[in-house]
Amino acid sequence: MAESTEVKLLGLWPSTYALRARIALNIKQVNYAFLEENLGAKSELLLKSNPVHMKVPVLLHGDKPICESLIIVQYIDDVWTSGPSMPPSHPYDRAIARFWAAYIDEKWGPTTKAIDAVIVAGEGEEAKKAAVDKVYDILVLLEEAFKKCSKGKAFFGGDRMGYLDMAFGSCLGWLRFREKLHDIKLLDPAKTPQLVKWAERFCEHPAVVGVMPETEQLATIEYGKGLIAKVRGANPSKW
Amino acid sequence: MAESTEVKLLGLWPSTYALRARIALNIKQVNYAFLEENLGAKSELLLKSNPVHMKVPVLLHGDKPICESLIIVQYIDDVWTSGPSMPPSHPYDRAIARFWAAYIDEKWGPTTKAIDAVIVAGEGEEAKKAAVDKVYDILVLLEEAFKKCSKGKAFFGGDRMGYLDMAFGSCLGWLRFREKLHDIKLLDPAKTPQLVKWAERFCEHPAVVGVMPETEQLATIEYGKGLIAKVRGANPSKW
């Protein structure tokens, strides 16, 4: 079943969530077709495959659609069973990885986007600092989580990249875009030294190289351009 | 490990989320101590065990805390391995059960609470109908999901109650409370006949009897009393 069935991924290259699925497929060395969606004119295949949310990513395994990025990662791990399991194999470690992945899905997007909102609303430097501090609060928790989960090794998953690595690592492209956009350092060696080094390792991993979007690429898409225009206001040339 | 280690659950009896963990423990016939929390004065044990969210439920397996209801259910299934697995054993079925459980966690609470808000704001019958219709939209999707997941059997999980049964079944206490509160029928045999029958079976299951909160019980707690007072306004005697 796993090997002989055609695999397609409906996604968008700048999507944090599609990236998780791509990295998981790369780790398992699964051949797949990446079908780039157009959010302005979603494909019939996307609408049919994810009628509830109509969102990417969708993994198509033969004619079976699987939706939601972390569910896709677990599915990939369940079906292509070679190599170590992506959620840790010990039940407690697995529960902890799931806890932090859920935490990231709940907190990361709104908290980082809140920086954009504060700047766009012209709320000033103090409000910007408060918004950035909320991101640091998350990162400090993740630094502690990294220490516990990695047990002194390279990744949240230990020696090998795992579920939580993918859950958070997929956010690094937009994190770096926002660092440049707002002229701030979110991953700061003084605050979260281990996460800084982990992020470098993550981006250099063979499963990640070539699929992680670069800051300059994100600045070319409509959403990125729109953010730059709104944040930089009359002075977009500063970008 | 599984059998010899003390198990405690920090919870609240009216909590939808704590209920999921209780049902899962009951299904696996795990002996556990249920430690009722007081949200007005959370215990040191809760604050220490779930410092990130400071919320129930928390499962304590020996000295190991596990947080977040659906993660707890999976942990219970991973550790107490007797009987059929609660997330389905086939990867695709498992992905589908996870998809709908995540959907319920995202949509159910806000959409049902929106009915309360519309009534409290005095927005009138048309707005109430629109809010209730949004709940029907969810239920109709879940009716379809039930047909696919149950494959003609009694539960979302097939012959035996499973992960998705617990994810949605745990919502039935407050669903019934709101049916009475707003004088509406959410689980309507004309709209979702299979869900209506499933809900009856769920509530009669030995793992659920005795832990599912009754409408009259929910009307006695602060939150329930507050809702009744707000919704019934000057006429609480109608309850």
Side-chain angles (χ1 to χ4, degrees):
Chain A
M1 161 80 175
E3 295 303 321
S4 63
T5 309
E6 194 180 30
V7 179
K8 294 176 190 157
L9 184 71
L10 312 185
L12 290 164
W13 66 262
S15 158
T16 295
Y17 304 105
L19 184 56
R20 291 173 175 169
R22 297 183 84 175
I23 296 170
L25 289 165
N26 288 348
I27 284 183
K28 295 283 185 173
Q29 300 185 299
V30 177
N31 288 320
Y32 69 99
F34 185 68
L35 305 184
E36 185 78 20
E37 281 290 326
N38 175 354
L39 286 191
K42 295 178 183 178
S43 72
E44 282 303 311
L45 188 58
L46 175 59
L47 301 178
K48 190 182 80 174
S49 305
N50 189 358
V52 174
H53 300 301
M54 295 178 277
K55 285 195 303 194
V56 298
V58 177
L59 183 77
L60 285 163
H61 190 198
D63 60 354
K64 288 189 158 63
I66 300 105
C67 306
E68 300 280 325
S69 64
L70 291 176
I71 295 173
I72 292 172
V73 169
Q74 289 178 87
Y75 177 82
I76 290 167
D77 194 49
D78 284 344
V79 170
W80 288 275
T81 49
S82 63
S85 71
M86 289 194 285
S89 53
H90 187 281
Y92 186 69
D93 295 340
R94 191 150 64 232
I96 297 301
R98 285 181 173 142
F99 174 85
W100 287 112
Y103 175 81
I104 289 162
D105 268 7
E106 184 187 339
K107 303 284 186 190
W108 186 256
T111 312
T112 53
K113 285 177 183 166
I115 306 175
D116 310 343
V118 158
I119 304 292
V120 171
E123 293 179 24
E125 280 304 307
E126 206 165 319
K128 177 180 172 183
K129 186 180 172 304
V132 172
D133 281 347
K134 286 191 179 154
V135 178
Y136 287 143
D137 290 345
I138 295 176
L139 290 167
V140 166
L141 284 176
L142 292 176
E143 173 92 355
E144 289 307 307
F146 180 79
K147 288 179 195 166
K148 286 183 192 158
C149 293
S150 67
K151 297 168 185 164
K153 296 183 175 167
F155 294 104
F156 282 96
D159 285 323
R160 303 277 195 107
M161 210 151 84
Y163 181 73
L164 184 48
D165 293 282
M166 278 171 256
F168 186 44
S170 62
C171 303
L172 292 172
W174 284 103
L175 180 152
R176 288 177 169 161
F177 176 84
R178 285 198 166 81
E179 288 189 324
K180 175 157 183 181
L181 177 67
H182 299 303
D183 196 18
I184 51 177
K185 201 148 198 65
L186 294 172
L187 276 179
D188 182 344
K191 291 188 171 71
T192 54
Q194 299 214 22
L195 276 192
V196 171
K197 286 181 195 156
W198 162 82
E200 285 168 13
R201 281 191 295 271
F202 183 86
C203 291
E204 287 164 3
H205 192 286
V208 177
V209 170
V211 291
M212 175 66 77
E214 301 289 337
T215 297
E216 296 308 322
Q217 293 174 312
L218 295 174
T220 67
I221 63 169
E222 285 306 313
Y223 182 72
K225 282 194 288 192
L227 267 182
I228 294 169
K230 278 191 231 165
V231 167
R232 301 292 174 122
N235 199 2
S237 62
K238 276 175 71 186
W239 179 261
Chain B
M1 162 81 175
E3 294 305 319
S4 62
T5 309
E6 194 181 31
V7 179
K8 294 176 189 158
L9 184 71
L10 312 185
L12 291 164
W13 66 261
S15 158
T16 295
Y17 303 106
L19 183 57
R20 292 173 176 170
R22 298 183 85 174
I23 296 170
L25 289 164
N26 289 349
I27 284 182
K28 295 283 183 172
Q29 300 185 300
V30 177
N31 288 320
Y32 69 100
F34 184 69
L35 306 184
E36 184 78 20
E37 281 289 326
N38 175 353
L39 286 191
K42 294 177 183 177
S43 72
E44 282 301 312
L45 187 57
L46 175 60
L47 300 179
K48 189 181 80 172
S49 305
N50 189 0
V52 174
H53 300 300
M54 295 179 277
K55 288 195 301 196
V56 298
V58 177
L59 183 77
L60 285 162
H61 190 198
D63 60 355
K64 288 188 158 65
I66 299 104
C67 307
E68 302 280 327
S69 65
L70 291 176
I71 295 174
I72 293 173
V73 170
Q74 289 178 86
Y75 178 83
I76 291 166
D77 194 48
D78 284 342
V79 169
W80 289 275
T81 49
S82 64
S85 72
M86 288 193 285
S89 53
H90 188 280
Y92 186 69
D93 295 341
R94 190 149 67 231
I96 297 301
R98 285 182 174 141
F99 174 86
W100 287 112
Y103 175 81
I104 289 161
D105 268 7
E106 184 187 338
K107 303 284 185 189
W108 187 256
T111 312
T112 52
K113 285 177 183 168
I115 306 174
D116 311 343
V118 157
I119 305 292
V120 170
E123 294 178 23
E125 279 305 307
E126 204 163 321
K128 177 180 172 183
K129 185 180 174 303
V132 172
D133 281 346
K134 286 191 180 156
V135 178
Y136 288 144
D137 291 343
I138 295 176
L139 290 167
V140 167
L141 284 176
L142 292 176
E143 174 91 355
E144 288 308 306
F146 180 80
K147 288 180 195 165
K148 286 182 192 160
C149 293
S150 67
K151 295 167 187 167
K153 296 181 175 169
F155 294 104
F156 282 96
D159 285 324
R160 303 277 195 107
M161 210 152 82
Y163 180 73
L164 184 48
D165 293 283
M166 278 171 254
F168 186 44
S170 62
C171 303
L172 292 172
W174 283 103
L175 179 152
R176 287 176 171 163
F177 175 85
R178 284 199 167 80
E179 288 188 325
K180 176 156 183 183
L181 177 67
H182 299 303
D183 197 17
I184 51 177
K185 200 145 201 65
L186 294 173
L187 276 179
D188 181 344
K191 290 187 172 71
T192 54
Q194 299 214 23
L195 277 191
V196 170
K197 286 181 195 156
W198 162 82
E200 285 167 14
R201 282 191 294 271
F202 184 87
C203 291
E204 287 164 3
H205 192 286
V208 176
V209 170
V211 290
M212 175 65 77
E214 300 289 337
T215 297
E216 296 308 322
Q217 293 173 311
L218 294 174
T220 67
I221 64 169
E222 285 307 313
Y223 182 73
K225 281 195 288 192
L227 266 182
I228 294 168
K230 278 192 232 164
V231 167
R232 301 292 174 123
N235 200 2
S237 63
K238 275 176 70 185
W239 179 261

